[in-house]
Amino acid sequence: MSASDLAAIWLTLELASLTTALLLVIGTPVAWWLARTRSRLKGPIGAVVALPLVLPPTVLGFYLLVTMGPHGLVGKFTAAMGLGTLPFTFAGLVVGSVFYSMPFVVQPLQNAFEAIGERPLEVAATLRAGPWDTFFTVVLPLARPGFVTASILGFAHTVGEFGVVLMLGGNIPGKTRTVSVQIFDHVEAMEYAQAHWLAGGMVVFSFFVLLALYSGRRFKAGPG
Amino acid sequence: MKPSLSRLIAVLGASLLACAAHAAEVQIAVAANFTAPIKDIAAEFEKDTGHKVVAAFGPTGGLYTQIKNGAPFEVFFSADDTTPAKLETEGDAVAGSRFTYAIGKLVLWSATAGYVDDKGEVLKKNAFRHLSIGNPKTAPYGLAATQVLDKLGLADAVKPKLVEGTNITQAHQFVATGNAELGFVALSQVYKDGRITGGSAWIVPDNLYEPIRQDAVILARGKGNPAAAALVEYLKGPKAAAVIKAYGYDL
């Protein structure tokens, strides 16, 4: 395995870790709201969160390229803030990945929150627990399997990302060239042996991630 | 003199029969940069010969992989001259059928009017943030771009500003969306009917890079298909040449 392969693997792991961490922060309140709300906006917001499940990544990547570019709304904003534009940067890939992996984090969390039901919250309220207290001492422990699933799926899905990176990245070694793009490069250059190493590695990785996930299902949610 | 109706019908009938007897279908694989010209050429070819062309488009490396894995293509229009040669030595192409159908030209292009001067001085000023090129490892135009930068002695200076498209189409896209101020693209992408279609450009002189020869070859599956042979002959003819030149290729 060459230095550029290793650089791509490292970059991919960084991207997936950062994206997963951000998604847990952003996704938890979104999932909580979706699980509890009676608002009419529940349907539309849920649908927007789930869009990346059905949209081809190239569509997502293309619109991000245009809106985050110098003529796009987001691009003009980031440029005015002195941040420059996001395509061709690691930060740009993080933004793209957050959108791309959003449903893989929000949906397991939403399911976990919904499964808790009203009762534990009511009990906590009668014991005079405030909303934050309830969330951290009752909801979080009960929803732990949901958080585990969300983290694993969010991480793994970002590792497997291709279309968004391809559209936004610019293929810059150590900055935007992830494993999937590196594999694509190898195949295009007819370097099949190198492609096999990386592609095979991805298959093994994906298998063990899913194995961990499905074996992990045996663990039940417990109070703390 | 007025031709009789029966004679007209007879002539029409005979030519229809002739077509039916000879008309065949040919499946071709075409490098993405030649998409537009081959569509025009194929339409003319179908009209002139009655044969039918079914075309698939993609990156040269990707098409090669498909051919090696049994894709039903009969003629291959590559973006380089090495891939068809490789297929020939590997026995996947008809020996001796290889020929150069177009020579690609490189252009330094910006979507902004007036940004690129007609001598390429903008490169030396180095005031841009991103310079888009095709991946030099896989895209012939990307390789040519690095040759130009080497010759001009700018390779090190612009290195941190390079963004690579996986192919020349994507390199063009980065410039077209304004994310890269300028980039090296195929002249055929920004050229129609003898002039640059938009933005500003410097057509890079031929002596700054190796010629980008685009070769075609009849594949093993196309051996004996009259439509495949006819299409290859047609590509060498004056009608095709006119189209190819109009799109900014050399011959």
Side-chain angles (χ1 to χ4, degrees):
Chain A
M1 199 157 283
S2 69
S4 70
D5 286 346
L6 290 174
I9 291 173
W10 181 243
L11 185 79
T12 306
L13 295 179
E14 267 184 299
L15 178 65
S17 314
L18 192 56
T19 301
T20 310
L22 276 174
L23 271 175
L24 288 174
V25 174
I26 301 168
T28 303
V30 174
W32 179 250
W33 183 81
L34 282 171
R36 312 286 310 166
T37 188
R38 289 196 182 87
S39 160
R40 262 195 245 166
L41 287 175
K42 178 176 172 164
I45 303 263
V48 167
V49 167
L51 264 183
L53 290 175
V54 290
L55 278 186
T58 41
V59 171
L60 200 59
F62 174 65
Y63 280 120
L64 287 172
L65 182 71
V66 172
T67 51
M68 303 198 312
H71 310 307
L73 218 58
V74 178
K76 280 184 180 151
F77 176 72
T78 54
M81 300 263 293
L83 298 168
T85 49
L86 289 169
F88 318 136
T89 64
F90 183 73
L93 291 196
V94 173
V95 172
S97 305
V98 164
F99 278 109
Y100 177 66
S101 294
M102 178 87 73
F104 289 80
V105 172
V106 170
Q107 290 190 346
L109 291 181
Q110 186 185 342
N111 290 339
F113 291 151
E114 280 169 352
I116 292 171
E118 297 290 335
R119 187 83 185 124
L121 305 182
E122 287 165 6
V123 172
T126 58
L127 296 172
R128 298 188 184 188
W132 287 103
D133 189 13
T134 308
F135 187 79
F136 283 104
T137 54
V138 179
V139 174
L140 276 190
L142 285 175
R144 199 176 55 190
F147 277 93
V148 173
T149 307
S151 309
I152 293 177
L153 280 183
F155 186 88
H157 191 244
T158 308
V159 166
E161 175 179 350
F162 173 64
V164 175
V165 179
L166 192 75
M167 297 294 273
L168 278 183
N171 200 12
I172 303 165
K175 215 162 118 193
T176 60
R177 186 187 291 166
T178 60
V179 171
S180 53
V181 172
Q182 181 84 348
I183 293 173
F184 182 75
D185 263 17
H186 281 319
V187 174
E188 286 280 295
M190 300 169 211
E191 298 163 352
Y192 296 145
Q194 288 100 311
H196 270 308
W197 272 109
L198 280 179
M202 284 287 244
V203 174
V204 172
F205 167 80
S206 308
F207 174 78
F208 280 106
V209 163
L210 293 173
L211 184 69
L213 193 65
Y214 289 125
S215 316
R217 282 274 159 85
R218 282 196 307 261
F219 300 109
K220 287 264 184 275
Chain B
M1 213 169 75
K2 199 174 146 196
S4 73
L5 188 63
S6 58
R7 210 177 124 190
L8 193 66
I9 290 171
V11 169
L12 272 178
S15 57
L16 266 179
L17 272 177
C19 278
H22 295 293
E25 189 178 288
V26 56
Q27 293 211 37
I28 63 173
V30 185
N33 78 74
F34 203 62
T35 305
I38 198 74
K39 278 185 176 164
D40 289 1
I41 294 169
E44 288 282 305
F45 171 74
E46 288 181 343
K47 230 173 14 185
D48 287 358
T49 64
H51 294 310
K52 196 172 175 323
V53 178
V54 181
F57 305 97
T60 296
L63 292 171
Y64 170 86
T65 306
Q66 291 178 2
I67 290 163
K68 293 301 281 184
N69 289 289
F73 304 129
E74 297 170 296
V75 183
F76 177 39
F77 293 87
S78 178
D80 60 9
D81 55 356
T82 50
T83 311
K86 199 166 171 214
L87 285 165
E88 196 178 323
T89 46
E90 287 166 350
D92 296 302
V94 176
S97 68
R98 196 152 46 86
F99 71 104
T100 302
Y101 65 91
I103 297 171
K105 297 189 76 155
L106 192 67
V107 63
L108 181 69
W109 179 66
S110 169
T112 310
Y115 192 86
V116 176
D117 57 287
D118 57 7
K119 288 200 179 68
E121 294 293 327
V122 63
L123 274 179
K124 287 174 194 153
K125 284 187 206 129
N126 209 352
F128 49 88
R129 289 182 56 237
H130 292 295
L131 172 65
S132 170
I133 65 172
N135 184 340
K137 208 168 76 172
T138 57
Y141 288 95
L143 181 66
T146 57
Q147 291 166 351
V148 173
L149 292 172
D150 276 336
K151 274 253 167 90
L152 297 176
L154 296 169
D156 290 333
V158 302
K159 196 165 186 233
K161 302 184 171 185
L162 287 185
V163 287
E164 287 178 17
T166 57
N167 54 39
I168 200 63
T169 312
Q170 209 197 355
H172 174 268
Q173 186 185 88
F174 286 158
V175 184
T177 55
N179 280 293
E181 291 93 333
L182 73 175
F184 283 103
V185 301
L187 179 60
S188 56
Q189 293 173 310
V190 295
Y191 193 83
K192 188 78 202 284
D193 300 326
R195 58 191 186 85
I196 301 285
T197 48
S200 51
W202 170 50
I203 299 176
V204 182
D206 299 348
N207 59 357
L208 291 180
Y209 60 97
E210 300 287 319
I212 306 166
R213 285 185 198 287
Q214 303 200 181
D215 280 7
V217 72
I218 298 181
L219 299 168
R221 279 178 186 257
K223 199 177 176 179
N225 179 352
L231 180 65
V232 165
E233 280 316 303
Y234 199 84
L235 254 293
K236 295 172 182 168
K239 271 194 183 172
V243 175
I244 292 169
K245 277 190 179 155
Y247 275 99
Y249 294 94
D250 266 353
L251 277 176

